[in-house]
PDB file of all heavy atoms in Angstrom:
ATOM      1  N   ASP A  95     -35.657 -63.766 -32.649  1.00  0.00           N
ATOM      2  CA  ASP A  95     -36.815 -63.609 -31.761  1.00  0.00           C
ATOM      3  C   ASP A  95     -36.412 -63.827 -30.309  1.00  0.00           C
ATOM      4  O   ASP A  95     -36.795 -63.054 -29.429  1.00  0.00           O
ATOM      5  CB  ASP A  95     -37.906 -64.610 -32.160  1.00  0.00           C
ATOM      6  CG  ASP A  95     -39.172 -64.433 -31.327  1.00  0.00           C
ATOM      7  OD1 ASP A  95     -39.730 -63.320 -31.328  1.00  0.00           O
ATOM      8  OD2 ASP A  95     -39.589 -65.405 -30.664  1.00  0.00           O
ATOM      9  N   PHE A  96     -35.624 -64.835 -30.043  1.00  0.00           N
ATOM     10  CA  PHE A  96     -35.229 -65.175 -28.676  1.00  0.00           C
ATOM     11  C   PHE A  96     -34.410 -64.053 -28.035  1.00  0.00           C
ATOM     12  O   PHE A  96     -34.587 -63.734 -26.851  1.00  0.00           O
ATOM     13  CB  PHE A  96     -34.420 -66.477 -28.667  1.00  0.00           C
ATOM     14  CG  PHE A  96     -34.011 -66.919 -27.281  1.00  0.00           C
ATOM     15  CD1 PHE A  96     -34.906 -67.569 -26.457  1.00  0.00           C
ATOM     16  CD2 PHE A  96     -32.720 -66.690 -26.807  1.00  0.00           C
ATOM     17  CE1 PHE A  96     -34.537 -67.979 -25.180  1.00  0.00           C
ATOM     18  CE2 PHE A  96     -32.345 -67.070 -25.541  1.00  0.00           C
ATOM     19  CZ  PHE A  96     -33.258 -67.728 -24.720  1.00  0.00           C
ATOM     20  N   PHE A  97     -33.514 -63.457 -28.801  1.00  0.00           N
ATOM     21  CA  PHE A  97     -32.670 -62.395 -28.260  1.00  0.00           C
ATOM     22  C   PHE A  97     -33.266 -60.999 -28.462  1.00  0.00           C
ATOM     23  O   PHE A  97     -32.585 -59.986 -28.352  1.00  0.00           O
ATOM     24  CB  PHE A  97     -31.273 -62.473 -28.866  1.00  0.00           C
ATOM     25  CG  PHE A  97     -30.503 -63.672 -28.397  1.00  0.00           C
ATOM     26  CD1 PHE A  97     -30.357 -64.790 -29.214  1.00  0.00           C
ATOM     27  CD2 PHE A  97     -29.944 -63.712 -27.121  1.00  0.00           C
ATOM     28  CE1 PHE A  97     -29.660 -65.908 -28.776  1.00  0.00           C
ATOM     29  CE2 PHE A  97     -29.259 -64.832 -26.671  1.00  0.00           C
ATOM     30  CZ  PHE A  97     -29.115 -65.946 -27.507  1.00  0.00           C
ATOM     31  N   GLN A  98     -34.567 -60.976 -28.755  1.00  0.00           N
ATOM     32  CA  GLN A  98     -35.383 -59.746 -28.749  1.00  0.00           C
ATOM     33  C   GLN A  98     -35.081 -58.755 -29.855  1.00  0.00           C
ATOM     34  O   GLN A  98     -35.554 -57.609 -29.803  1.00  0.00           O
ATOM     35  CB  GLN A  98     -35.268 -59.029 -27.388  1.00  0.00           C
ATOM     36  CG  GLN A  98     -35.683 -59.891 -26.202  1.00  0.00           C
ATOM     37  CD  GLN A  98     -37.122 -60.370 -26.320  1.00  0.00           C
ATOM     38  OE1 GLN A  98     -38.024 -59.580 -26.521  1.00  0.00           O
ATOM     39  NE2 GLN A  98     -37.326 -61.668 -26.197  1.00  0.00           N
ATOM     40  N   PHE A  99     -34.333 -59.145 -30.874  1.00  0.00           N
ATOM     41  CA  PHE A  99     -34.049 -58.210 -31.964  1.00  0.00           C
ATOM     42  C   PHE A  99     -35.348 -57.742 -32.633  1.00  0.00           C
ATOM     43  O   PHE A  99     -35.549 -56.563 -32.884  1.00  0.00           O
ATOM     44  CB  PHE A  99     -33.125 -58.855 -32.989  1.00  0.00           C
ATOM     45  CG  PHE A  99     -32.834 -57.977 -34.182  1.00  0.00           C
ATOM     46  CD1 PHE A  99     -31.846 -57.014 -34.126  1.00  0.00           C
ATOM     47  CD2 PHE A  99     -33.558 -58.112 -35.376  1.00  0.00           C
ATOM     48  CE1 PHE A  99     -31.582 -56.199 -35.218  1.00  0.00           C
ATOM     49  CE2 PHE A  99     -33.310 -57.303 -36.459  1.00  0.00           C
ATOM     50  CZ  PHE A  99     -32.313 -56.348 -36.388  1.00  0.00           C
ATOM     51  N   GLN A 100     -36.215 -58.697 -32.917  1.00  0.00           N
ATOM     52  CA  GLN A 100     -37.456 -58.360 -33.604  1.00  0.00           C
ATOM     53  C   GLN A 100     -38.375 -57.520 -32.721  1.00  0.00           C
ATOM     54  O   GLN A 100     -39.013 -56.578 -33.191  1.00  0.00           O
ATOM     55  CB  GLN A 100     -38.168 -59.636 -34.062  1.00  0.00           C
ATOM     56  CG  GLN A 100     -37.366 -60.439 -35.083  1.00  0.00           C
ATOM     57  CD  GLN A 100     -38.190 -61.520 -35.747  1.00  0.00           C
ATOM     58  OE1 GLN A 100     -39.280 -61.247 -36.256  1.00  0.00           O
ATOM     59  NE2 GLN A 100     -37.684 -62.749 -35.768  1.00  0.00           N
ATOM     60  N   ASN A 101     -38.450 -57.847 -31.450  1.00  0.00           N
ATOM     61  CA  ASN A 101     -39.323 -57.093 -30.542  1.00  0.00           C
ATOM     62  C   ASN A 101     -38.853 -55.650 -30.372  1.00  0.00           C
ATOM     63  O   ASN A 101     -39.666 -54.719 -30.322  1.00  0.00           O
ATOM     64  CB  ASN A 101     -39.401 -57.785 -29.183  1.00  0.00           C
ATOM     65  CG  ASN A 101     -40.210 -59.060 -29.231  1.00  0.00           C
ATOM     66  OD1 ASN A 101     -41.091 -59.212 -30.075  1.00  0.00           O
ATOM     67  ND2 ASN A 101     -39.923 -59.998 -28.347  1.00  0.00           N
ATOM     68  N   ILE A 102     -37.546 -55.454 -30.271  1.00  0.00           N
ATOM     69  CA  ILE A 102     -37.009 -54.101 -30.128  1.00  0.00           C
ATOM     70  C   ILE A 102     -37.282 -53.284 -31.392  1.00  0.00           C
ATOM     71  O   ILE A 102     -37.612 -52.097 -31.337  1.00  0.00           O
ATOM     72  CB  ILE A 102     -35.499 -54.141 -29.815  1.00  0.00           C
ATOM     73  CG1 ILE A 102     -35.280 -54.734 -28.417  1.00  0.00           C
ATOM     74  CG2 ILE A 102     -34.890 -52.740 -29.882  1.00  0.00           C
ATOM     75  CD1 ILE A 102     -33.830 -54.971 -28.071  1.00  0.00           C
ATOM     76  N   ASN A 103     -37.178 -53.940 -32.536  1.00  0.00           N
ATOM     77  CA  ASN A 103     -37.507 -53.258 -33.789  1.00  0.00           C
ATOM     78  C   ASN A 103     -38.966 -52.851 -33.830  1.00  0.00           C
ATOM     79  O   ASN A 103     -39.303 -51.769 -34.328  1.00  0.00           O
ATOM     80  CB  ASN A 103     -37.186 -54.160 -34.985  1.00  0.00           C
ATOM     81  CG  ASN A 103     -35.813 -53.886 -35.559  1.00  0.00           C
ATOM     82  OD1 ASN A 103     -35.534 -52.788 -36.000  1.00  0.00           O
ATOM     83  ND2 ASN A 103     -34.951 -54.884 -35.516  1.00  0.00           N
ATOM     84  N   ARG A 104     -39.832 -53.694 -33.316  1.00  0.00           N
ATOM     85  CA  ARG A 104     -41.266 -53.351 -33.276  1.00  0.00           C
ATOM     86  C   ARG A 104     -41.495 -52.128 -32.397  1.00  0.00           C
ATOM     87  O   ARG A 104     -42.263 -51.226 -32.741  1.00  0.00           O
ATOM     88  CB  ARG A 104     -42.083 -54.532 -32.780  1.00  0.00           C
ATOM     89  CG  ARG A 104     -42.176 -55.697 -33.745  1.00  0.00           C
ATOM     90  CD  ARG A 104     -43.170 -56.734 -33.291  1.00  0.00           C
ATOM     91  NE  ARG A 104     -43.173 -57.889 -34.182  1.00  0.00           N
ATOM     92  CZ  ARG A 104     -42.502 -59.003 -33.974  1.00  0.00           C
ATOM     93  NH1 ARG A 104     -41.786 -59.135 -32.876  1.00  0.00           N
ATOM     94  NH2 ARG A 104     -42.550 -59.989 -34.842  1.00  0.00           N
ATOM     95  N   VAL A 105     -40.829 -52.093 -31.253  1.00  0.00           N
ATOM     96  CA  VAL A 105     -40.964 -50.956 -30.341  1.00  0.00           C
ATOM     97  C   VAL A 105     -40.468 -49.683 -31.010  1.00  0.00           C
ATOM     98  O   VAL A 105     -41.113 -48.622 -30.947  1.00  0.00           O
ATOM     99  CB  VAL A 105     -40.195 -51.210 -29.029  1.00  0.00           C
ATOM    100  CG1 VAL A 105     -40.153 -49.942 -28.171  1.00  0.00           C
ATOM    101  CG2 VAL A 105     -40.840 -52.342 -28.242  1.00  0.00           C
ATOM    102  N   ASN A 106     -39.315 -49.758 -31.668  1.00  0.00           N
ATOM    103  CA  ASN A 106     -38.770 -48.580 -32.354  1.00  0.00           C
ATOM    104  C   ASN A 106     -39.712 -48.093 -33.444  1.00  0.00           C
ATOM    105  O   ASN A 106     -39.867 -46.886 -33.658  1.00  0.00           O
ATOM    106  CB  ASN A 106     -37.411 -48.932 -32.971  1.00  0.00           C
ATOM    107  CG  ASN A 106     -36.318 -49.080 -31.938  1.00  0.00           C
ATOM    108  OD1 ASN A 106     -36.442 -48.588 -30.822  1.00  0.00           O
ATOM    109  ND2 ASN A 106     -35.242 -49.757 -32.290  1.00  0.00           N
ATOM    110  N   LYS A 107     -40.345 -49.043 -34.121  1.00  0.00           N
ATOM    111  CA  LYS A 107     -41.275 -48.674 -35.193  1.00  0.00           C
ATOM    112  C   LYS A 107     -42.509 -47.985 -34.633  1.00  0.00           C
ATOM    113  O   LYS A 107     -43.006 -47.015 -35.211  1.00  0.00           O
ATOM    114  CB  LYS A 107     -41.661 -49.935 -35.972  1.00  0.00           C
ATOM    115  CG  LYS A 107     -42.369 -49.650 -37.281  1.00  0.00           C
ATOM    116  CD  LYS A 107     -42.668 -50.943 -38.022  1.00  0.00           C
ATOM    117  CE  LYS A 107     -43.429 -50.658 -39.307  1.00  0.00           C
ATOM    118  NZ  LYS A 107     -43.869 -51.896 -39.978  1.00  0.00           N
ATOM    119  N   ILE A 108     -43.007 -48.467 -33.510  1.00  0.00           N
ATOM    120  CA  ILE A 108     -44.161 -47.846 -32.852  1.00  0.00           C
ATOM    121  C   ILE A 108     -43.815 -46.423 -32.424  1.00  0.00           C
ATOM    122  O   ILE A 108     -44.580 -45.480 -32.646  1.00  0.00           O
ATOM    123  CB  ILE A 108     -44.588 -48.672 -31.631  1.00  0.00           C
ATOM    124  CG1 ILE A 108     -45.164 -50.014 -32.058  1.00  0.00           C
ATOM    125  CG2 ILE A 108     -45.614 -47.912 -30.787  1.00  0.00           C
ATOM    126  CD1 ILE A 108     -45.347 -50.990 -30.918  1.00  0.00           C
ATOM    127  N   ILE A 109     -42.641 -46.263 -31.794  1.00  0.00           N
ATOM    128  CA  ILE A 109     -42.208 -44.937 -31.338  1.00  0.00           C
ATOM    129  C   ILE A 109     -42.103 -43.968 -32.515  1.00  0.00           C
ATOM    130  O   ILE A 109     -42.560 -42.818 -32.421  1.00  0.00           O
ATOM    131  CB  ILE A 109     -40.856 -45.035 -30.610  1.00  0.00           C
ATOM    132  CG1 ILE A 109     -41.015 -45.812 -29.294  1.00  0.00           C
ATOM    133  CG2 ILE A 109     -40.288 -43.639 -30.334  1.00  0.00           C
ATOM    134  CD1 ILE A 109     -39.704 -46.115 -28.582  1.00  0.00           C
ATOM    135  N   SER A 110     -41.535 -44.426 -33.615  1.00  0.00           N
ATOM    136  CA  SER A 110     -41.411 -43.559 -34.793  1.00  0.00           C
ATOM    137  C   SER A 110     -42.778 -43.151 -35.322  1.00  0.00           C
ATOM    138  O   SER A 110     -42.982 -41.993 -35.718  1.00  0.00           O
ATOM    139  CB  SER A 110     -40.636 -44.286 -35.896  1.00  0.00           C
ATOM    140  OG  SER A 110     -39.289 -44.487 -35.530  1.00  0.00           O
ATOM    141  N   ALA A 111     -43.716 -44.082 -35.312  1.00  0.00           N
ATOM    142  CA  ALA A 111     -45.053 -43.813 -35.866  1.00  0.00           C
ATOM    143  C   ALA A 111     -45.789 -42.749 -35.052  1.00  0.00           C
ATOM    144  O   ALA A 111     -46.248 -41.742 -35.603  1.00  0.00           O
ATOM    145  CB  ALA A 111     -45.857 -45.109 -35.933  1.00  0.00           C
ATOM    146  N   PHE A 112     -45.890 -42.972 -33.738  1.00  0.00           N
ATOM    147  CA  PHE A 112     -46.673 -41.980 -32.965  1.00  0.00           C
ATOM    148  C   PHE A 112     -45.924 -40.662 -32.785  1.00  0.00           C
ATOM    149  O   PHE A 112     -46.517 -39.608 -32.638  1.00  0.00           O
ATOM    150  CB  PHE A 112     -47.177 -42.535 -31.629  1.00  0.00           C
ATOM    151  CG  PHE A 112     -46.155 -42.970 -30.618  1.00  0.00           C
ATOM    152  CD1 PHE A 112     -45.202 -42.092 -30.106  1.00  0.00           C
ATOM    153  CD2 PHE A 112     -46.189 -44.255 -30.096  1.00  0.00           C
ATOM    154  CE1 PHE A 112     -44.292 -42.481 -29.145  1.00  0.00           C
ATOM    155  CE2 PHE A 112     -45.283 -44.657 -29.125  1.00  0.00           C
ATOM    156  CZ  PHE A 112     -44.330 -43.772 -28.647  1.00  0.00           C
ATOM    157  N   SER A 113     -44.593 -40.699 -32.843  1.00  0.00           N
ATOM    158  CA  SER A 113     -43.822 -39.462 -32.753  1.00  0.00           C
ATOM    159  C   SER A 113     -44.022 -38.605 -34.002  1.00  0.00           C
ATOM    160  O   SER A 113     -44.093 -37.369 -33.923  1.00  0.00           O
ATOM    161  CB  SER A 113     -42.338 -39.763 -32.578  1.00  0.00           C
ATOM    162  OG  SER A 113     -42.097 -40.465 -31.369  1.00  0.00           O
ATOM    163  N   ALA A 114     -44.121 -39.255 -35.162  1.00  0.00           N
ATOM    164  CA  ALA A 114     -44.371 -38.531 -36.400  1.00  0.00           C
ATOM    165  C   ALA A 114     -45.710 -37.813 -36.343  1.00  0.00           C
ATOM    166  O   ALA A 114     -45.839 -36.668 -36.793  1.00  0.00           O
ATOM    167  CB  ALA A 114     -44.333 -39.503 -37.585  1.00  0.00           C
ATOM    168  N   LEU A 115     -46.703 -38.474 -35.765  1.00  0.00           N
ATOM    169  CA  LEU A 115     -48.019 -37.856 -35.636  1.00  0.00           C
ATOM    170  C   LEU A 115     -47.967 -36.635 -34.721  1.00  0.00           C
ATOM    171  O   LEU A 115     -48.496 -35.569 -35.061  1.00  0.00           O
ATOM    172  CB  LEU A 115     -49.017 -38.878 -35.084  1.00  0.00           C
ATOM    173  CG  LEU A 115     -50.433 -38.357 -34.763  1.00  0.00           C
ATOM    174  CD1 LEU A 115     -51.091 -37.791 -36.021  1.00  0.00           C
ATOM    175  CD2 LEU A 115     -51.295 -39.456 -34.147  1.00  0.00           C
ATOM    176  N   GLU A 116     -47.312 -36.778 -33.583  1.00  0.00           N
ATOM    177  CA  GLU A 116     -47.231 -35.660 -32.628  1.00  0.00           C
ATOM    178  C   GLU A 116     -46.420 -34.502 -33.206  1.00  0.00           C
ATOM    179  O   GLU A 116     -46.757 -33.330 -33.009  1.00  0.00           O
ATOM    180  CB  GLU A 116     -46.611 -36.139 -31.312  1.00  0.00           C
ATOM    181  CG  GLU A 116     -47.463 -37.109 -30.525  1.00  0.00           C
ATOM    182  CD  GLU A 116     -48.814 -36.529 -30.174  1.00  0.00           C
ATOM    183  OE1 GLU A 116     -48.886 -35.346 -29.768  1.00  0.00           O
ATOM    184  OE2 GLU A 116     -49.827 -37.254 -30.329  1.00  0.00           O
ATOM    185  N   ALA A 117     -45.343 -34.813 -33.931  1.00  0.00           N
ATOM    186  CA  ALA A 117     -44.536 -33.759 -34.553  1.00  0.00           C
ATOM    187  C   ALA A 117     -45.347 -33.013 -35.604  1.00  0.00           C
ATOM    188  O   ALA A 117     -45.289 -31.775 -35.703  1.00  0.00           O
ATOM    189  CB  ALA A 117     -43.285 -34.360 -35.183  1.00  0.00           C
ATOM    190  N   ALA A 118     -46.124 -33.761 -36.395  1.00  0.00           N
ATOM    191  CA  ALA A 118     -46.952 -33.149 -37.430  1.00  0.00           C
ATOM    192  C   ALA A 118     -47.983 -32.203 -36.818  1.00  0.00           C
ATOM    193  O   ALA A 118     -48.263 -31.134 -37.364  1.00  0.00           O
ATOM    194  CB  ALA A 118     -47.644 -34.230 -38.256  1.00  0.00           C
ATOM    195  N   LYS A 119     -48.553 -32.587 -35.684  1.00  0.00           N
ATOM    196  CA  LYS A 119     -49.513 -31.714 -35.002  1.00  0.00           C
ATOM    197  C   LYS A 119     -48.858 -30.399 -34.570  1.00  0.00           C
ATOM    198  O   LYS A 119     -49.439 -29.319 -34.707  1.00  0.00           O
ATOM    199  CB  LYS A 119     -50.090 -32.431 -33.782  1.00  0.00           C
ATOM    200  CG  LYS A 119     -51.037 -33.568 -34.108  1.00  0.00           C
ATOM    201  CD  LYS A 119     -51.545 -34.228 -32.825  1.00  0.00           C
ATOM    202  CE  LYS A 119     -52.499 -35.369 -33.105  1.00  0.00           C
ATOM    203  NZ  LYS A 119     -52.942 -36.027 -31.848  1.00  0.00           N
ATOM    204  N   GLY A 120     -47.624 -30.522 -34.069  1.00  0.00           N
ATOM    205  CA  GLY A 120     -46.900 -29.324 -33.648  1.00  0.00           C
ATOM    206  C   GLY A 120     -46.564 -28.435 -34.820  1.00  0.00           C
ATOM    207  O   GLY A 120     -46.691 -27.199 -34.756  1.00  0.00           O
TER     208      GLY A 120
END
Side-chain angles (χ1 to χ4, degrees):
D95 183 58
F96 182 80
F97 290 103
Q98 302 301 308
F99 177 83
Q100 297 193 51
N101 288 334
I102 292 173
N103 265 299
R104 289 189 184 97
V105 171
N106 287 340
K107 193 177 177 186
I108 292 168
I109 293 173
S110 293
F112 62 59
S113 298
L115 175 60
E116 292 302 316
K119 289 179 179 178

